[in-house]
Amino acid sequence: MPDLPNGPHGKWRTTWGIIQNPRRLFNKCVQQFGDPFLMRAINGNVVVTDRPDLVEQIFRADPDTFSVFASEGIRPILGAGSLLMMEGPPHRAERKRVAPPLHGDRMKAYGEAMQSIALATGRNYSDGREFTGIRLGTEISLDVILQTVLGADSNQLMNEFRHSTRGVLDRSLPILFFSPKTQFSLLGFSPMDRLRVVQAKLREQIKQEVQRRGDSIHSREDILSILARPTESDPEIDFEHLADSIGTLLFAGHETTAVSIAWSLYHLHRNPDWLDKLRAELDQCDMSPESLAAMPLLRAIVQETLRLNPIVTEVLRTLTRPMELGGYRLPTGFSIAAASCLTHYDESIYASPETFDPGRFIDRTYTPSQYYPFGGGNRRCVGAAFATYELAIVLGTLVHNYRFELLDKVPVVPRRRNVTMGPSTGVRMRIIPN
Ligand code: HEM
């Protein structure tokens, strides 16, 4: 059995291709080298596949087969206490603590807030001025996640955290995630120095907020209070760890959803037939958050948007032991990637894959290795249920209450934002005033 598949040479060129347009590069590689193929990038050697049988093998493997991808490059940015960086038993324990507010009845309790935030944000843009779907989506999803994670009970608290969370995101340049070499310090002016300043501010705010809450953290149900509670293994609050953890949830919990809101508005307004069908469905709905989240077409539109535009284009893991994959014997230290941006366009699974067709999700389901916008296995997105719930409520509320006009007249394409990919123009729109 050969050790490694073939792939392109030239680390920097390959890395640039992944930053610019992973789908185009991966497609070329499959054609030239077969599936799986090898990417030699500046953050490591990665064997990429889009074959559902191999994706299934990756998602079903013993979690100890893997460690976090490119952790030495990403850990300095997200911090060792970020769920995305944790491994083994501490990772499992942290997921158990974070998950309950993001599922079931506790999640549904946020439905009304999601709806009223969407309504109020739409109202702010109802004067006919131009805006981007990303901006609208960000304002909505940031407020939703702040309320969920912080249980924010005052406007002042919301304002402070809005500002600092956006600051961190705005300064998270893509290149910082790809190469530790770019994380140098230069008299306070390098990209990493500038990121550190806003991160320190957010950390301090988190610490002050926990101290302000005092004993009430024991009775509150928000994620910040839950994670700040002492445990048997950690009787004292570790503010560094807590700030890493909260920072990741704020970041992962709103950027992705914001981008999805923008893409869904884009696809609906490029495909007015589906928009009309959605309006007809919403006319039959009592518009309660719970009912919205159960609307078949609305749910299918959310799923189809995430199929066409997976926000994270590949799911990455690094091998802690050798693994046989697709006829190759991959060594420890190599990484593997399940490329959703290719699997989601596999013609043998999805007919006319380039077409926006939510109908393919009605009365039909796909296996976790055919459709995986939220990743898979033991690291599958902990916010997946929450995000799907939020997207249906927000999109349904916006479309039912406002008439949008898409101002982008040419196709919008995916472009790198940081670890995520988003629409190149942000999706330029306006709300047609009543
Ligand atoms: C449309 C919205 C979202 C998308 C497309 C998305 C996608 C993803 C993906 C692809 C992963 C990596 C999974 C893997 O490695 O197998 C991930 C991980 C994660 N996501 Fe999401 N996500 C979304 C929303 C959210 C929300 C709302 C939250 C929090 C409330 C969240 C929190 C996280 C966290 C903490 C992880 C790390 C999980 C771990 O390593 O154990 N995400 N997400």
Side-chain angles (χ1 to χ4, degrees), residues 84 91 95 145 252-253 256 260 315 317 373-376 379 381-383 387:
L84 281 159
H91 173 249
R95 275 185 75 105
I145 200 70
T256 42
S260 307
V315 180
R317 309 274 186 265
F374 295 105
R379 300 204 84 98
C381 176
V382 73

Side-chain angles (χ1 to χ4, degrees), residues 264 295-310 344 350 356-358 360-366 371 373-374 388 391 395:
S264 56
M295 288 284 114
L297 179 56
L298 181 55
R299 289 171 62 92
I301 288 167
V302 168
Q303 288 173 302
E304 176 68 343
T305 301
L306 289 169
R307 180 190 71 80
L308 274 173
N309 302 107
H344 287 187
Y350 303 101
F356 177 75
D357 175 11
R360 67 174 99 242
F361 281 96
I362 291 180
D363 299 329
R364 167 127 208 218
T365 52
Y366 299 87
Y371 179 72
F374 295 105
T388 316
L391 284 170
L395 186 63

Side-chain angles (χ1 to χ4, degrees), residues 10-26 39 178 416 421:
K11 279 186 186 180
W12 281 97
R13 206 168 58 161
T14 300
T15 307
W16 186 240
I18 299 173
I19 293 178
Q20 288 287 92
N21 190 337
R23 189 175 155 224
R24 186 172 59 201
L25 178 69
F26 294 171
M39 299 255 96
F178 278 84
R416 172 80 51 191
M421 302 289 289

